[in-house]
Amino acid sequence: MRVVNTKMKQASSFMLVAALAAAVAGCGGNGNQKEEANSSTNASGTETKQNGNASDQPKLTNLKYWVANHSAASAQMKTYAEMEMYKELEKRTGVKVEFQHPPLDPQQAKEQFNLMIASNELPDVIETYWTDGYPGGPEKAIEDGKIMKLNDLIDQYAPNLKKLLEEHPDWKKQITTDSGTIYSFPFLRGDDKVRVFFGPALRQDWLDKLGLSVPTTVDEWYAVLKAFKEKDPNGNGKADEIPFYIDKDLLNVDAPFLGAWGINYNFYQDGGTVKYGPIQPEYKEFLTTMNKWYKEGLLDQDFAAPNAKLFDNKMTTNLLGSSVLYNGGGIAKYTNLMKDADPSFKLTAAPYPVLKAGDTPIWGQKDFAYTGIGAAITTSNENPAETVKWLDYAYGQEGEMLFNYGLEGVSYKMENGKAVLMPELLNPPGGVSVQQSIAKYTRSTWSAPYVLSDNFQMQYLVLPEQKKALEVWSQPTVERKMPLVTPTQEESGKFASVMTDIQTYRDEMLLKFIMGAEPIENFDKYVKKIQSMGIEDAIQIQQAALERFNKR
Amino acid sequence: MQQLRTIRTDWKRNWAAYVMALPVIAYYILFHYGPMYGLQIAFKDFSLAKGIGASAWIGFEHFKDFFGGIYFWRLIRNTLLLNLYELLFGFPAAIILALLLNEIRAVLFKRFVQTISYLPHFISLVVVAGMMVDFLGRTGLVNQLIGVFGIEPIDFLKEEGWFRFLYVSSGIWQGIGWGSIIYLAAMATIDPTLYEAARMDGASRWKQMLHVTLPGIAPTIVILFILNMGNLLTVGSEKVLLLYNPLTYETADVISTYVYRKGIMEASYDFTAAVGLFNSVVSFVLIVSANSVIKRLSENKLW
């Protein structure tokens, strides 16, 4: 049996290789397919021009649409097709959409995406994080013959999006690649107010109990956390409080806390020059501080292995004092969850900490209008022109209402020419979050290919704490944030292979330095090692990409 | 002419066997030899758009990248050590269990122990890993137990020093019973007259085991050992993937998990094909040399 067992093992590993190779082999004919796809778009393009009649296009009735599901929606529906907004869209356009969702876990979703891309069977529409998600970026996706260049199609069949892009040249600049290609129907955040939704937060009721005020500098934070640890703010007589939680994923979102030192956890620009945060001398100071917090029990012992369920648990059992939270998915979520169990539970947003009192924070989360999420049309799509029309609907007036607010009379009503969300959506019964109750109708609390309006967003921020958070978190200048740059074809392979190894090493060493497994004295060695891994090349690639972006 | 006739008579006599072998042959051609066509991308700058055939040749670039990469030695070391420990502790464990079981006279008890010992084999790896994460966590069962003796809690899965021990010992727990079955089967084929003769000569139970049972199952042991040698560089990635985290990469990151991260997550299929090819070549060399060494030392061999 042992023989069988080992053989099975061998067989399964062979099978894996075989499957991979077969998947790769399947792409053999791709070059042709791409040409065909291109020529067919061209053909249809010229055809319509000649006839001047778009109704010659066969009618679109079915679409396969790949997009990641969201936890707020997946809790109540199998696919987006059950969402009220898409049911209504089907009624209005006559297009039946079959949604394909990868697993919620981001790692597994990425795995499924990459395997799908390597195969020949693509859905008609893929909505994803194109700048980050496709290995090599959106230009490469077009080069690989996976998705279509949309410039001409948008020109001809997408009047709504076209008009928007003409009105907002900065949006156009962000969704276009260096070579002028538009590759997706973008998710756009219309106004500044909808671009800030993440930042430091802590327990207001704990602060009140201990007679402390909201900290603004790193030193003040230290004092507050120390008090959380020692003065038993949860009042159970045990020193079981976990004053603070942060992990590498949170750091990666525009560098909360790390930003106090003026750097981030990735590439940033300093007066037009690209730098890499984790090799700056300031990073060493950050690590020293975090190491101190860890040693004194201020930083959660579990920060090395992020676990969302565990985090929820610590928050709702009165153990966790502070962290970096999303406005809707954090502050509102926990406040609603604790509404009945502990009415005194109150979270408050704190400004992004700085080193010297009175300084304006440089780093803080603030997205650009476009974050890289968009719906692209694949080369497997047999009716791109009609698909473009279908996608364009969301950018027109009717579509905007549908995508932002759902159904009139059901999820919103018009008052003085403004859409107002129904009160039952914003005050759901206990145990249901506002995000979940809205998710029944629309995707506007996370993302979709449309323009998110701030009229929606300001209503979504139901609690006064949330409105305050928006204000507090909007202070940072964000002057060092990199725009959404894309490497060129030739650079992308090199960049990816250099950065995979560096990021693995960076993440590993972050944990080791903070936990003290690696003495901080070895910081210089760590920097040398990253340099020997080729960070300079990667910085140059980013620098060139930044310059190309600025020239767009 | 003569040969042709032999083939013909052979076919007439054995055609049914050949037909029955067809699916197996087809399987090997389809899934094992066919995909070897794709191996060429290990030497190419593979592009999805151009496909396997048309991508440009770049020689040994990917191999150079891999051998020169900073993780190369760590990956080799971890892969080899995990397997070596499994071979050193896991391989004999099954033999010892089989020998012990063989000595049990109470049939019911023997059956009972056997069943219990190979039950874990049927638990899915994901569940085993989940159990380990639960039991070995900071507030898990194990830490509560050792806490009784005043030992500070240890985060077993987050300390690189523990990884190999946990990986190998859990592997033994899961595989020992299942692995012993083949040895028990081999023992059943030993001619009982040998034991009788040994007893006549005054051999004790211990001596009988040493001089009858062990030599009796030696061919099985040797063949399994050779097969295991071939696997020295292949660790099943699933279990490592489920148990490791950046804190334990130092001892846990193996070739297959690296290939997963680099190949599937970053979509560098050409680079990972090169790593995979390297892995297969080394395994092949290991298996051949193990076989020839053993052939020289004894009559047992795989081929």
Side-chain angles (χ1 to χ4, degrees), chain A residues 351-374:
Chain A
Y352 280 85
V354 289
L355 289 182
K356 261 194 265 134
D359 281 359
T360 308
I362 299 176
W363 282 99
Q365 179 273 335
K366 185 188 223 169
D367 277 8
F368 299 109
Y370 177 59
T371 49
I373 299 173

mmCIF file of all heavy atoms in Angstrom, chain A residues 351-374:
data_model
loop_
_atom_site.group_PDB
_atom_site.id
_atom_site.type_symbol
_atom_site.label_atom_id
_atom_site.label_comp_id
_atom_site.label_asym_id
_atom_site.label_seq_id
_atom_site.Cartn_x
_atom_site.Cartn_y
_atom_site.Cartn_z
ATOM 1 N N PRO A 351 -6.766 61.055 14.197
ATOM 2 C CA PRO A 351 -5.997 61.498 13.028
ATOM 3 C C PRO A 351 -4.795 60.581 12.802
ATOM 4 O O PRO A 351 -4.323 59.930 13.735
ATOM 5 C CB PRO A 351 -5.560 62.908 13.410
ATOM 6 C CG PRO A 351 -5.795 63.055 14.869
ATOM 7 C CD PRO A 351 -6.802 62.038 15.272
ATOM 8 N N TYR A 352 -4.326 60.528 11.563
ATOM 9 C CA TYR A 352 -3.089 59.780 11.305
ATOM 10 C C TYR A 352 -1.995 60.374 12.166
ATOM 11 O O TYR A 352 -1.776 61.591 12.134
ATOM 12 C CB TYR A 352 -2.728 59.881 9.825
ATOM 13 C CG TYR A 352 -3.538 58.928 8.974
ATOM 14 C CD1 TYR A 352 -4.789 59.264 8.499
ATOM 15 C CD2 TYR A 352 -3.030 57.669 8.679
ATOM 16 C CE1 TYR A 352 -5.535 58.378 7.735
ATOM 17 C CE2 TYR A 352 -3.764 56.774 7.919
ATOM 18 C CZ TYR A 352 -5.020 57.133 7.454
ATOM 19 O OH TYR A 352 -5.739 56.240 6.714
ATOM 20 N N PRO A 353 -1.322 59.553 12.987
ATOM 21 C CA PRO A 353 -0.354 60.106 13.932
ATOM 22 C C PRO A 353 0.855 60.741 13.236
ATOM 23 O O PRO A 353 1.217 60.357 12.132
ATOM 24 C CB PRO A 353 0.078 58.889 14.755
ATOM 25 C CG PRO A 353 -0.316 57.710 13.964
ATOM 26 C CD PRO A 353 -1.455 58.106 13.114
ATOM 27 N N VAL A 354 1.437 61.726 13.891
ATOM 28 C CA VAL A 354 2.658 62.368 13.402
ATOM 29 C C VAL A 354 3.712 62.288 14.498
ATOM 30 O O VAL A 354 3.427 61.849 15.611
ATOM 31 C CB VAL A 354 2.404 63.842 13.032
ATOM 32 C CG1 VAL A 354 1.558 63.936 11.786
ATOM 33 C CG2 VAL A 354 1.743 64.575 14.184
ATOM 34 N N LEU A 355 4.924 62.710 14.189
ATOM 35 C CA LEU A 355 5.977 62.637 15.205
ATOM 36 C C LEU A 355 5.934 63.862 16.117
ATOM 37 O O LEU A 355 6.057 63.754 17.328
ATOM 38 C CB LEU A 355 7.352 62.511 14.543
ATOM 39 C CG LEU A 355 7.629 61.162 13.883
ATOM 40 C CD1 LEU A 355 9.026 61.133 13.296
ATOM 41 C CD2 LEU A 355 7.460 60.014 14.879
ATOM 42 N N LYS A 356 5.763 65.038 15.506
ATOM 43 C CA LYS A 356 5.754 66.262 16.310
ATOM 44 C C LYS A 356 4.351 66.823 16.385
ATOM 45 O O LYS A 356 3.665 66.914 15.366
ATOM 46 C CB LYS A 356 6.684 67.308 15.679
ATOM 47 C CG LYS A 356 8.052 67.346 16.360
ATOM 48 C CD LYS A 356 8.797 68.606 15.958
ATOM 49 C CE LYS A 356 9.699 68.373 14.813
ATOM 50 N NZ LYS A 356 9.918 69.038 13.699
ATOM 51 N N ALA A 357 3.920 67.194 17.572
ATOM 52 C CA ALA A 357 2.566 67.729 17.733
ATOM 53 C C ALA A 357 2.390 68.944 16.829
ATOM 54 O O ALA A 357 3.289 69.776 16.713
ATOM 55 C CB ALA A 357 2.332 68.108 19.188
ATOM 56 N N GLY A 358 1.242 69.011 16.185
ATOM 57 C CA GLY A 358 0.955 70.162 15.347
ATOM 58 C C GLY A 358 1.312 69.963 13.883
ATOM 59 O O GLY A 358 0.890 70.738 13.032
ATOM 60 N N ASP A 359 2.108 68.942 13.570
ATOM 61 C CA ASP A 359 2.432 68.667 12.163
ATOM 62 C C ASP A 359 1.200 68.168 11.427
ATOM 63 O O ASP A 359 0.321 67.551 12.016
ATOM 64 C CB ASP A 359 3.524 67.599 12.064
ATOM 65 C CG ASP A 359 4.899 68.181 12.338
ATOM 66 O OD1 ASP A 359 4.960 69.408 12.582
ATOM 67 O OD2 ASP A 359 5.877 67.420 12.327
ATOM 68 N N THR A 360 1.183 68.416 10.116
ATOM 69 C CA THR A 360 0.117 67.832 9.304
ATOM 70 C C THR A 360 0.602 66.484 8.795
ATOM 71 O O THR A 360 1.714 66.389 8.270
ATOM 72 C CB THR A 360 -0.180 68.730 8.086
ATOM 73 O OG1 THR A 360 -0.393 70.053 8.564
ATOM 74 C CG2 THR A 360 -1.402 68.236 7.342
ATOM 75 N N PRO A 361 -0.203 65.450 8.966
ATOM 76 C CA PRO A 361 0.252 64.142 8.484
ATOM 77 C C PRO A 361 0.460 64.135 6.961
ATOM 78 O O PRO A 361 -0.288 64.774 6.218
ATOM 79 C CB PRO A 361 -0.867 63.193 8.894
ATOM 80 C CG PRO A 361 -2.017 64.037 9.304
ATOM 81 C CD PRO A 361 -1.485 65.371 9.659
ATOM 82 N N ILE A 362 1.496 63.434 6.523
ATOM 83 C CA ILE A 362 1.777 63.326 5.092
ATOM 84 C C ILE A 362 1.025 62.142 4.503
ATOM 85 O O ILE A 362 0.493 62.201 3.413
ATOM 86 C CB ILE A 362 3.290 63.117 4.852
ATOM 87 C CG1 ILE A 362 4.074 64.306 5.401
ATOM 88 C CG2 ILE A 362 3.569 62.930 3.376
ATOM 89 C CD1 ILE A 362 5.562 64.123 5.294
ATOM 90 N N TRP A 363 1.003 61.060 5.291
ATOM 91 C CA TRP A 363 0.403 59.838 4.771
ATOM 92 C C TRP A 363 -0.970 59.597 5.365
ATOM 93 O O TRP A 363 -1.200 59.812 6.546
ATOM 94 C CB TRP A 363 1.287 58.627 5.094
ATOM 95 C CG TRP A 363 2.449 58.526 4.192
ATOM 96 C CD1 TRP A 363 3.720 58.940 4.448
ATOM 97 C CD2 TRP A 363 2.458 57.990 2.874
ATOM 98 N NE1 TRP A 363 4.524 58.697 3.372
ATOM 99 C CE2 TRP A 363 3.779 58.103 2.377
ATOM 100 C CE3 TRP A 363 1.485 57.426 2.044
ATOM 101 C CZ2 TRP A 363 4.142 57.677 1.107
ATOM 102 C CZ3 TRP A 363 1.845 56.992 0.787
ATOM 103 C CH2 TRP A 363 3.160 57.113 0.320
ATOM 104 N N GLY A 364 -1.851 59.126 4.537
ATOM 105 C CA GLY A 364 -3.178 58.742 4.971
ATOM 106 C C GLY A 364 -3.873 58.157 3.769
ATOM 107 O O GLY A 364 -3.488 58.420 2.631
ATOM 108 N N GLN A 365 -4.899 57.363 4.039
ATOM 109 C CA GLN A 365 -5.572 56.728 2.907
ATOM 110 C C GLN A 365 -6.425 57.747 2.169
ATOM 111 O O GLN A 365 -7.259 58.433 2.753
ATOM 112 C CB GLN A 365 -6.429 55.565 3.409
ATOM 113 C CG GLN A 365 -7.181 54.850 2.309
ATOM 114 C CD GLN A 365 -8.517 55.498 2.020
ATOM 115 O OE1 GLN A 365 -9.085 56.143 2.878
ATOM 116 N NE2 GLN A 365 -8.998 55.322 0.799
ATOM 117 N N LYS A 366 -6.175 57.891 0.890
ATOM 118 C CA LYS A 366 -7.041 58.695 0.028
ATOM 119 C C LYS A 366 -6.868 58.142 -1.374
ATOM 120 O O LYS A 366 -5.795 58.252 -1.959
ATOM 121 C CB LYS A 366 -6.643 60.154 0.092
ATOM 122 C CG LYS A 366 -7.600 61.036 -0.705
ATOM 123 C CD LYS A 366 -7.073 62.445 -0.784
ATOM 124 C CE LYS A 366 -8.179 63.469 -0.547
ATOM 125 N NZ LYS A 366 -7.618 64.806 -0.367
ATOM 126 N N ASP A 367 -7.920 57.564 -1.872
ATOM 127 C CA ASP A 367 -7.802 56.950 -3.191
ATOM 128 C C ASP A 367 -7.897 57.990 -4.296
ATOM 129 O O ASP A 367 -8.417 59.069 -4.098
ATOM 130 C CB ASP A 367 -8.915 55.906 -3.375
ATOM 131 C CG ASP A 367 -8.534 54.582 -2.748
ATOM 132 O OD1 ASP A 367 -7.496 54.556 -2.052
ATOM 133 O OD2 ASP A 367 -9.256 53.594 -2.934
ATOM 134 N N PHE A 368 -7.366 57.599 -5.459
ATOM 135 C CA PHE A 368 -7.604 58.416 -6.637
ATOM 136 C C PHE A 368 -9.010 58.092 -7.129
ATOM 137 O O PHE A 368 -9.643 57.131 -6.680
ATOM 138 C CB PHE A 368 -6.578 58.091 -7.720
ATOM 139 C CG PHE A 368 -5.177 58.362 -7.282
ATOM 140 C CD1 PHE A 368 -4.306 57.319 -7.022
ATOM 141 C CD2 PHE A 368 -4.727 59.661 -7.123
ATOM 142 C CE1 PHE A 368 -3.010 57.573 -6.603
ATOM 143 C CE2 PHE A 368 -3.439 59.914 -6.707
ATOM 144 C CZ PHE A 368 -2.573 58.862 -6.445
ATOM 145 N N ALA A 369 -9.497 58.894 -8.076
ATOM 146 C CA ALA A 369 -10.833 58.623 -8.610
ATOM 147 C C ALA A 369 -10.894 57.189 -9.116
ATOM 148 O O ALA A 369 -11.867 56.474 -8.918
ATOM 149 C CB ALA A 369 -11.143 59.592 -9.732
ATOM 150 N N TYR A 370 -9.803 56.765 -9.755
ATOM 151 C CA TYR A 370 -9.731 55.400 -10.278
ATOM 152 C C TYR A 370 -8.693 54.624 -9.483
ATOM 153 O O TYR A 370 -7.606 55.125 -9.233
ATOM 154 C CB TYR A 370 -9.331 55.462 -11.752
ATOM 155 C CG TYR A 370 -9.143 54.113 -12.415
ATOM 156 C CD1 TYR A 370 -10.189 53.204 -12.470
ATOM 157 C CD2 TYR A 370 -7.933 53.767 -12.990
ATOM 158 C CE1 TYR A 370 -10.026 51.985 -13.096
ATOM 159 C CE2 TYR A 370 -7.762 52.545 -13.629
ATOM 160 C CZ TYR A 370 -8.807 51.654 -13.672
ATOM 161 O OH TYR A 370 -8.661 50.443 -14.291
ATOM 162 N N THR A 371 -9.043 53.414 -9.035
ATOM 163 C CA THR A 371 -8.075 52.647 -8.246
ATOM 164 C C THR A 371 -7.554 51.443 -9.007
ATOM 165 O O THR A 371 -6.782 50.657 -8.480
ATOM 166 C CB THR A 371 -8.718 52.131 -6.941
ATOM 167 O OG1 THR A 371 -9.955 51.511 -7.282
ATOM 168 C CG2 THR A 371 -8.940 53.248 -5.970
ATOM 169 N N GLY A 372 -7.950 51.281 -10.242
ATOM 170 C CA GLY A 372 -7.474 50.133 -11.011
ATOM 171 C C GLY A 372 -8.542 49.079 -11.224
ATOM 172 O O GLY A 372 -8.344 48.127 -11.957
ATOM 173 N N ILE A 373 -9.704 49.260 -10.568
ATOM 174 C CA ILE A 373 -10.785 48.286 -10.721
ATOM 175 C C ILE A 373 -11.641 48.664 -11.925
ATOM 176 O O ILE A 373 -12.070 49.814 -12.056
ATOM 177 C CB ILE A 373 -11.672 48.250 -9.462
ATOM 178 C CG1 ILE A 373 -10.849 47.835 -8.250
ATOM 179 C CG2 ILE A 373 -12.855 47.312 -9.661
ATOM 180 C CD1 ILE A 373 -11.591 47.933 -6.946
ATOM 181 N N GLY A 374 -11.871 47.717 -12.800
ATOM 182 C CA GLY A 374 -12.711 47.993 -13.949
ATOM 183 C C GLY A 374 -13.152 46.719 -14.632
ATOM 184 O O GLY A 374 -12.601 45.647 -14.401
#
